[in-house]
């Protein structure tokens, strides 16, 4: 089953048809939805192809070129994050808008097949060149071209913007469907695992009693810094201080020192400029050494340092590069259970594998494969924090065929095994409940 | 302004070229065709018509685009108007041309519909005395191979503007190598998104970032 069919049931498709039909009636323009291979997956019931397009698509090469024009335009609309206006291989003006679900393009809306000029001699010459090789009678094609709609440049711009708004609405609608389906799946899994979780919790409660672990708090802060979540870092630092409030102030300062260095590393991994992160780290360490802050002041100060590093991640990369790194992370997250290659990821962000590799070296200091692993391990931590999931569930969920391989990778990156991590998190959760 | 209803009514060379700039910027292909014909009739140099008329018109619309005065549809119209002007230049100067410097087969690779750079290179090459076979845009490897067999060119020139279509140049060269035609001619690749390292990896003979440079490299061969 295609992604399109998986996401949209027959009732949803009726709604989509209705939207396209209303759009066509309002603007007098044709609009259809194509999948990523260029096949039409949704069109209004009263949709009628222009005579010109019909003739071009009557040949297999013409049909192939149409599909490919639309595929490329759909991808470009996703790439440029807006409506993409273009001339198709046969010389007509068209535009495309992406249909995106959970950060991934699953289809495109294609509209247009019009002209922005009254057909003149030069257009007949253009048609002759563009349709050369399609084995279509030029005279018939010209007669069909004379029947094409002519619209102004302003109308094309306005209609393409309207179409883009429609595509955003579709994205939001499909996003809601996805959330609903995913909520149902989670509920089923919850019921299945409830018994086992209860047993495990009992075991954990017997073994541990309110042990506070600095590392687990630190992980959350570092994750927020690495992903440039400026608003989140303050909350995570606050959580951390609530967790370690009973420690002596001198110990907090030792942890804070370590924390600053780790935040610097996380910022560079997230894409902050190397020199800026290093000099920021030096400055913060010096300030900490020179100051005589009490516990609540350290709490306030460390939150501002974490914010500073998260901001470096946001500002450190160029907009385009950052967009790519973020999109890669989103793509990896939304394809949790799949085995992804660098080529899959490069395809998803419309770059060549070598170009993406260079960008990653420059922006994150690690290879694409390492980055994928890091994102997955971050995901693994989230999963392991949930008492209903076991280590093998996390491995399975993240596409690791072999749980022992997952454990090895996890230990290499986190320093402890997933099982140890999970037990540590359970202990913290228990402590929080006791507190 | 001396231009009305598609007819030029005299005036200086600058007036005519200014009108040409405006017609390109406004995307009026039919008007551009008439103006270019007039300019050539009056003996204006092809280079001036291209640089001070067509290219300046494109620059004007490009500035308007940067300033959010016009949008992509107007840019598409202007590009089309330039192509129309270029076609006149090729047709008119073609009758007076002496094509004795060699034969060039040129095209934009499959998946890419950008025409302007390739058309500019075509005009420049023809002005230099080359016979140019323009295969158009979105040209497949098989179509390039067919043209090589048919025309036996001295140079095969391929362009790509989109980052996504640049790899198609490599695919095309690979196809040509596979059937043993690569050694028959020099290969030039051009486009602003092509990196020198990529050109080097394909072992092409010539590499250019724009149309003028490409034409010059071929002429200097």
């Amino acid at each position: 089953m295609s992604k399109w069919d998986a996401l949209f049931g027959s009732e949803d498709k009726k709604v989509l048809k209705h939207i396209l039909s209303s759009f066509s009636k309002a603007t007098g323009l044709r609009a259809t939805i194509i999948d990523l291979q260029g096949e039409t997956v949704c069109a209004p019931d009263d949709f009628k192809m222009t005579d010109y397009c019909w003739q071009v698509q009557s040949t297999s090469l013409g049909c192939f070129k149409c599909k490919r024009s639309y595929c490329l335009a759909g991808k470009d609309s996703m790439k440029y994050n807006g409506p993409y206006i273009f001339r198709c291989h046969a010389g007509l003006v068209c535009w495309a808008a992406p249909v995106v679900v959970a950060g991934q393009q699953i289809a495109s809306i294609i509209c247009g097949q019009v002209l922005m000029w009254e057909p003149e001699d030069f257009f007949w010459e253009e048609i002759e060149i563009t349709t050369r090789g399609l084995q279509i009678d030029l005279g018939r094609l010209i007669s069909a071209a004379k029947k094409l709609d002519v619209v102004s440049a302003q109308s094309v711009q306005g209609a393409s913007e309207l179409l883009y708004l429609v595509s955003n609405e579709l994205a939001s609608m499909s996003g809601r469907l996805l959330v609903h389906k995913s909520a149902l799946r989670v509920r089923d899994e919850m019921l299945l695992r409830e018994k086992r979780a209860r047993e495990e919790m009992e075991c954990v409660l017997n073994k541990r009693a309110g042990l506070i672990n600095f590392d687990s708090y630190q992980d959350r802060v570092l994750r927020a810094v690495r992903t440039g979540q400026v608003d989140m870092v303050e909350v995570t630092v606050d959580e951390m201080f609530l967790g370690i409030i009973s420690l002596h102030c001198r110990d907090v300062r030792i942890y804070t020192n370590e924390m600053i260095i780790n935040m610097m590393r996380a910022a560079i991994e997230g894409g902050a400029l190397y020199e800026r992160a290093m000099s920021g780290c030096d400055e913060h360490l010096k300030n900490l050494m020179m100051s005589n802050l009490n516990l609540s002041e350290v709490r306030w100060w460390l939150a501002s340092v974490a914010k500073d590093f998260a901001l470096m991640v946001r500002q450190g990369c160029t907009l385009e590069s950052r967009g790519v790194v973020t999109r890669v992370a989103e793509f990896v997250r939304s394809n949790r259970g799949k085995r992804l290659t660098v080529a899959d990821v490069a395809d998803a962000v419309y770059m060549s594998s070598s170009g993406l590799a260079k960008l990653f070296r420059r922006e994150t200091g690690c290879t694409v494969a390492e980055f994928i692993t890091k994102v997955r391990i971050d995901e693994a931590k989230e999963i392991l924090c949930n008492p209903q999931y076991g280590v093998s569930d996390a491995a399975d969920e993240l596409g690791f065929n072999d749980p022992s391989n997952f454990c090895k990778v996890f230990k290499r990156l986190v320093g402890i095994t997933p099982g140890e991590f999970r037990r540590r998190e359970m202990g913290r959760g228990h402590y929080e409940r006791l507190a | 302004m001396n231009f009305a209803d598609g007819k030029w009514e005299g005036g200086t060379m600058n007036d005519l070229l200014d009108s040409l700039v405006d017609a390109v910027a406004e995307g009026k292909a039919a008007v551009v065709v008439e103006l270019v014909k007039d300019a050539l009739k009056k003996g204006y140099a092809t280079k001036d018509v291209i640089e001070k008329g067509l290219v300046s018109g494109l620059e004007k619309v490009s500035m308007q685009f940067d300033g959010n005065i016009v949008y992509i549809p107007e840019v598409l119209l202007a590009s089309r108007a330039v192509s129309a002007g270029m076609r006149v230049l090729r047709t008119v100067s073609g009758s007076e041309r002496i094509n004795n410097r060699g034969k060039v087969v040129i095209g934009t690779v499959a998946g890419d519909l950008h025409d302007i750079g390739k058309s500019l290179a075509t005009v420049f090459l023809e002005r230099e005395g080359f016979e140019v076979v323009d295969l158009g845009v979105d040209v497949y490897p098989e179509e390039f191979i067919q043209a090589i067999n048919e025309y036996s060119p001295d140079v095969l020139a391929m362009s790509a503007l989109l980052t996504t279509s640049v790899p198609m140049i490599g695919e095309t060269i690979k196809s040509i190598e596979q059937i043993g035609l690569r050694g028959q001619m020099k290969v030039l690749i051009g486009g602003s998104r092509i990196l020198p390292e990529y050109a080097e990896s394909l072992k092409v003979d010539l590499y250019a970032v724009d149309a003028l440079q490409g034409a010059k490299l071929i002429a200097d061969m």
Side-chain angles (χ1 to χ4, degrees):
Chain A
M1 188 191 276
S2 71
K3 270 187 190 171
W4 177 262
D5 287 324
L7 279 168
F8 295 96
S10 58
E11 285 305 311
D12 306 325
K13 284 175 186 167
K14 273 187 198 167
V15 175
L16 290 176
K17 272 187 183 182
H18 187 69
I19 292 173
L20 292 181
S21 181
S22 302
F23 174 86
S24 296
K25 279 175 193 155
T27 60
L29 297 162
R30 293 165 184 81
T32 55
I33 299 177
I34 57 157
D35 64 15
L36 298 180
Q37 285 70 47
E39 299 290 347
T40 302
V41 287
C42 186
D45 288 331
D46 51 358
F47 177 78
K48 195 168 171 279
M49 201 186 284
T50 66
D51 191 17
Y52 185 89
C53 292
W54 188 85
Q55 288 202 38
V56 171
Q57 294 196 12
S58 65
T59 67
S60 55
L61 181 60
C63 192
F64 172 74
K65 285 196 169 190
C66 285
K67 282 182 189 170
R68 205 181 49 175
S69 283
Y70 295 158
C71 278
L72 288 170
K75 280 187 180 176
D76 281 337
S77 65
M78 176 73 185
K79 189 173 158 191
Y80 298 118
N81 200 19
Y84 185 78
I85 304 167
F86 63 104
R87 285 187 75 186
C88 74
H89 73 101
L92 305 191
V93 177
C94 309
W95 48 100
V99 179
V100 180
V101 177
Q104 258 189 294
Q105 184 176 16
I106 58 155
S108 310
I109 312 179
I110 301 289
C111 183
Q113 293 105 20
V114 293
L115 300 179
M116 291 193 292
W117 53 87
E118 288 297 337
E120 71 298 67
D121 290 347
F122 177 61
F123 186 54
W124 312 141
E125 290 173 21
E126 281 188 300
I127 290 180
E128 191 181 351
I129 295 170
T130 53
T131 61
R132 191 169 49 195
L134 296 184
Q135 314 291 332
I136 304 171
D137 179 69
L138 187 62
R140 286 179 59 191
L141 209 50
I142 288 176
S143 304
K146 284 178 182 168
K147 290 187 271 177
L148 288 166
D149 290 329
V150 178
V151 298
S152 69
Q154 289 80 6
S155 299
V156 168
Q157 182 64 29
S160 68
E161 284 171 7
L162 179 58
L163 189 76
Y164 189 61
L165 292 175
V166 171
S167 79
N168 281 339
E169 184 50 38
L170 288 186
S172 139
M173 172 178 144
S174 50
R176 288 195 295 272
L177 286 171
L178 197 66
V179 167
H180 180 62
K181 286 180 183 174
S182 149
L184 286 175
R185 189 172 60 89
V186 169
R187 193 191 62 183
D188 291 346
E189 284 172 1
M190 274 173 69
L191 289 170
L192 279 171
R193 292 174 187 181
E194 197 177 355
K195 188 169 168 278
R196 203 175 71 197
R198 204 180 301 125
E199 286 166 3
E200 285 193 15
M201 278 302 289
E202 280 167 9
C203 171
V204 168
L205 288 172
N206 289 336
K207 282 185 184 172
R208 303 175 73 90
L211 183 66
I212 306 147
N213 198 320
F214 173 77
D215 290 346
S216 59
Y217 289 109
Q218 181 176 241
D219 277 345
R220 286 173 182 227
V221 177
L222 296 183
R223 237 175 286 156
V225 168
R226 191 179 297 117
T227 47
Q229 297 179 66
V230 179
D231 301 335
M232 273 298 291
V233 285
E234 204 164 16
V235 179
T236 51
V237 170
D238 266 354
E239 276 178 5
M240 184 178 78
F241 270 84
L242 284 172
I244 58 175
I245 200 101
S246 58
L247 288 180
H248 190 273
C249 192
R250 202 182 61 184
D251 296 331
V252 173
R253 287 172 72 93
I254 293 166
Y255 286 131
T256 307
N257 242 323
E258 180 191 328
M259 185 87 196
I260 291 169
I261 294 165
N262 287 338
M263 281 197 285
M264 183 250 322
R265 286 187 186 133
I268 293 170
E269 282 168 7
L273 290 176
Y274 180 80
E275 293 79 9
R276 199 172 155 213
M278 286 292 280
S279 67
C281 178
D282 278 350
E283 196 184 327
H284 294 317
L285 287 174
K286 264 185 219 158
N287 287 343
L288 182 66
M289 216 158 65
M290 307 280 286
S291 66
N292 189 21
L293 303 174
N294 62 33
L295 191 62
S296 67
E297 285 166 339
V298 171
R299 175 180 172 178
W300 171 83
W301 181 78
L302 194 63
S304 73
V305 170
K307 256 187 170 179
D308 185 37
F309 279 117
L311 268 176
M312 284 184 203
V313 171
R314 280 208 172 171
Q315 296 163 352
C317 321
T318 62
L319 194 60
E320 191 181 357
S321 305
R322 172 158 180 77
V324 171
V325 175
T326 311
R327 269 156 51 206
V328 166
E330 276 169 11
F331 178 73
V332 174
R333 282 191 204 107
S334 56
N335 284 282
R336 259 189 183 185
K338 289 184 195 155
R339 290 172 68 84
L340 294 176
T341 63
V342 175
D344 294 332
V345 176
D347 266 1
V349 293
Y350 309 110
M351 289 186 72
S352 66
S353 299
S354 59
L356 188 67
K358 274 185 198 165
L359 185 143
F360 262 76
R361 273 265 173 245
R362 190 178 69 235
E363 299 296 346
T364 67
C366 63
T367 67
V368 181
E370 283 165 358
F371 185 79
I372 294 173
T373 310
K374 276 182 187 169
V375 172
R376 292 220 150 144
I377 294 303
D378 275 348
E379 291 277 289
K381 287 178 183 171
E382 291 284 348
I383 295 171
L384 291 169
C385 288
N386 187 336
Q388 285 150 5
Y389 292 86
V391 173
S392 57
D393 296 324
D396 192 36
E397 184 77 10
L398 294 165
F400 284 87
N401 282 347
D402 178 7
S404 68
N405 183 35
F406 166 65
C407 293
K408 270 185 209 161
V409 175
F410 192 95
K411 185 162 186 188
R412 180 163 55 80
L413 287 175
V414 185
I416 54 175
T417 66
E420 286 165 345
F421 179 87
R422 190 164 178 274
R423 283 190 288 278
R424 190 181 80 183
E425 287 300 308
M426 298 293 178
R428 193 168 72 91
H430 176 62
Y431 173 77
E432 280 169 356
R433 275 188 295 280
L434 291 178
Chain B
M1 185 72 65
N2 293 299
F3 186 81
D5 301 329
K7 298 285 177 203
W8 175 250
E9 295 169 354
T12 66
M13 175 172 165
N14 281 343
D15 288 342
L16 193 151
L17 291 177
D18 285 348
S19 299
L20 187 53
V21 169
D22 290 341
V24 168
E26 287 162 23
K28 295 176 175 167
V31 176
V32 168
V33 166
E34 293 305 320
L35 285 171
V36 172
K37 280 181 185 169
D38 275 342
L40 292 176
K41 258 189 226 161
K42 287 187 164 61
Y44 295 170
T46 311
K47 187 171 178 287
D48 285 339
V49 176
I50 293 174
E51 288 173 6
K52 296 179 184 168
L54 301 177
V55 173
S56 296
L58 264 190
E59 282 168 358
K60 183 175 174 182
V61 86
S62 164
M63 272 161 44
Q64 290 173 337
F65 178 73
D66 289 341
N68 287 330
I69 299 165
V70 299
Y71 299 94
I72 291 289
E74 285 86 352
V75 178
L76 281 181
L77 280 173
S79 306
R80 181 173 179 271
V82 169
S83 297
M86 217 84 86
R87 186 127 182 101
V88 177
L89 287 175
R90 288 191 64 192
T91 321
V92 174
S93 60
S95 54
E96 302 152 5
R97 235 180 7 241
I98 306 160
N99 298 320
N100 57 4
R101 293 199 58 190
K103 201 181 281 177
V104 180
V105 162
I106 194 168
T108 307
V109 293
D112 199 323
L113 305 170
H114 290 90
D115 179 65
I116 290 185
K118 173 195 62 65
S119 298
L120 272 173
T122 303
V123 174
F124 289 136
L125 283 167
E126 287 180 338
R127 210 181 59 196
E128 291 289 336
F130 287 90
E131 181 186 348
V132 184
V133 180
D134 183 357
L135 302 180
V137 297
D138 194 21
V139 182
Y140 285 84
E142 310 85 77
E143 293 174 285
F144 276 112
I145 289 168
Q146 197 184 338
I148 295 168
N149 283 324
E150 193 174 337
Y151 301 104
S152 304
D154 300 292
V155 180
L156 172 68
M158 287 180 280
S159 77
L161 187 73
L162 300 171
T163 319
T164 44
S165 59
V166 168
M168 188 44 85
I169 292 182
E171 295 291 317
T172 308
I173 291 178
K174 208 167 139 191
S175 303
I176 294 168
E177 277 169 353
Q178 274 169 358
I179 57 159
L181 289 176
R182 174 65 185 87
Q184 289 189 13
M185 75 251 137
K186 302 271 188 197
V187 171
L188 174 137
I189 65 170
S192 57
R193 300 282 167 87
I194 302 172
L195 298 171
E197 296 84 21
Y198 182 66
E200 205 175 315
S201 72
L202 295 178
K203 298 191 178 110
V204 292
D205 304 289
L206 305 163
Y207 153 67
V209 288
D210 62 38
L212 191 58
Q213 190 194 9
K216 196 167 179 313
L217 284 171
I218 293 176
D220 292 344
M221 252 181 358

